């Protein structure tokens, strides 16, 4: 059996279709919203419940072109779609849409029969700016859900050093040094001693390490770089 190809997709200029806005469809919408796609079209013959209304409102507040249509599915709705989620509760409809998506090379998650679609949605953990996805290859979704809490705790502890790297990277690249010199700096910053000092909130050691690693012209920026770093709370 072929293995899944893991990918993190930028959906900011993409359109997504969710067919069915029951519990599963709402869950798919909630996962899409943080990715901020350009458009989300939801199909369901019934009006949304309070949770669905909240999701639609949240999407609009984010500036997403999100719409709930009570019209029946037609193939033209697939035009320009990047991702499709079939959650209608009608297996025959879901399977037929998945087949059309295969023919048109559109990624489709067929929720009631994953093997008929082209991708499945893994367990996802977000600890901004970190995102991790976990799959057992359909061997045990229950295990993946249990491990989600462990993964969330692990990622939470990595947030402070990741935030610091996010602040540092553009400053280092803006210096215009050769790529080889930048690689050395980034490699040294990624060593565990800096991460461990940040985790212990030993900011004196953090500052000393940064002064040893960074070019002298960035030393004056260190206090600002260290300001307001998150604590790395490991609660899921």
């Amino acid at each position: 059996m072929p293995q899944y190809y893991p990918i993190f997709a930028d959906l900011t200029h993409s359109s997504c279709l969710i067919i069915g806005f029951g519990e599963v469809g709402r869950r798919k919408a909630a996962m899409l919203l943080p990715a901020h796609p350009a458009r989300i079209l939801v199909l369901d013959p019934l009006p949304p419940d309070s949770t669905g209304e909240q999701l639609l409102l949240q999407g609009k507040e984010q500036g997403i072109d999100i719409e709930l249509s009570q019209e029946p599915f037609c193939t033209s709705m697939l035009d320009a779609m990047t991702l499709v989620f079939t959650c209608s509760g009608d297996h025959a409809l879901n399977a037929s849409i998945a087949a059309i998506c295969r023919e048109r090379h559109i990624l489709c998650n067929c929720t009631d029969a994953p093997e008929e679609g082209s991708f499945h949605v893994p367990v996802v953990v977000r600890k901004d700016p970190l995102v991790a996805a976990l799959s057992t290859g359909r061997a045990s979704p229950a295990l993946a859900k249990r491990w989600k809490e462990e993964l969330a705790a692990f990622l939470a502890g990595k947030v402070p050093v990741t935030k610091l790297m996010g602040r540092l990277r553009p400053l280092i690249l803006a210096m215009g040094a050769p790529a080889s010199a930048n690689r050395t700096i980034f490699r040294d910053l990624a060593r565990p001693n800096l991460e461990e000092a940040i985790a212990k909130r030993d900011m004196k050691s953090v500052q000393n390490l940064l002064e040893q690693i960074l070019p002298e012209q960035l030393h004056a920026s260190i206090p600002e770089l260290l300001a307001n770093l998150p604590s790395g709370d490991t609660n899921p």
Side-chain angles (χ1 to χ4, degrees):
M1 179 178 177
Q3 296 183 353
Y4 293 115
Y5 182 82
I7 186 171
F8 284 88
D10 180 355
L11 299 180
T12 52
H13 302 289
S14 300
S15 296
C16 304
L17 175 63
I18 301 175
I19 301 162
F21 208 39
E23 181 181 352
V24 177
R26 293 192 299 270
R27 193 162 64 241
K28 302 304 181 185
M31 290 185 68
L32 275 177
L33 291 180
H36 211 290
R39 180 175 180 241
I40 301 175
L41 174 60
V42 181
L43 301 183
D44 198 295
L46 300 175
D49 64 6
S50 58
T51 302
E53 288 180 347
Q54 185 177 2
L55 287 168
L56 293 170
L57 178 60
Q58 181 182 343
K60 291 174 182 176
E61 290 175 345
Q62 291 179 209
I64 298 171
D65 178 11
I66 186 168
E67 173 191 0
L68 174 66
S69 172
Q70 293 177 288
E71 296 294 321
F73 169 80
C74 63
T75 56
S76 63
M77 292 175 176
L78 294 174
D79 294 347
M81 290 296 172
T82 301
L83 295 180
V84 174
F85 299 87
T86 60
C87 321
S88 71
D90 181 334
H91 176 71
L93 176 61
N94 291 344
S96 66
I97 294 171
I100 297 170
C101 287
R102 282 197 302 273
E103 293 173 0
R104 297 179 60 170
H105 306 292
I106 299 170
L107 292 173
C108 177
N109 173 230
C110 191
T111 57
D112 60 349
E115 66 281 358
E116 296 184 12
S118 53
F119 77 99
H120 83 288
V121 179
V123 166
V124 175
V125 179
R126 297 180 184 273
K127 293 289 182 180
D128 186 50
L130 296 170
V131 182
L134 174 66
S135 170
T136 60
R138 297 208 304 266
S140 178
L143 274 178
K145 289 179 181 178
R146 179 169 69 80
W147 290 334
K148 180 178 181 178
E149 292 187 2
E150 298 177 24
L151 185 56
F154 172 81
L155 289 185
K158 307 299 181 184
V159 168
V161 68
T162 307
K163 290 272 191 181
L164 176 60
M165 296 305 174
R167 298 173 184 179
L168 272 170
R169 187 174 182 81
L171 297 179
I172 294 169
L173 294 178
M175 293 174 57
S180 58
N182 288 340
R183 279 196 298 271
T184 298
I185 294 172
F186 292 134
R187 182 195 62 212
D188 291 342
L189 287 170
R191 294 187 189 280
N193 52 353
L194 178 61
E195 180 182 339
E196 291 165 359
I198 293 173
K200 294 176 183 176
R201 307 301 292 173
D202 183 356
M203 304 316 288
K204 183 176 180 181
S205 294
V206 172
Q207 179 155 342
N208 289 339
L209 286 167
L210 290 177
E211 289 176 351
Q212 294 171 24
I213 297 169
L214 297 176
E216 188 173 350
Q217 53 264 53
L218 292 182
H219 287 188
S221 301
I222 291 175
E224 183 179 354
L225 289 165
L226 297 180
N228 302 316
L229 280 182
S231 65
D233 181 6
T234 57
N235 291 324

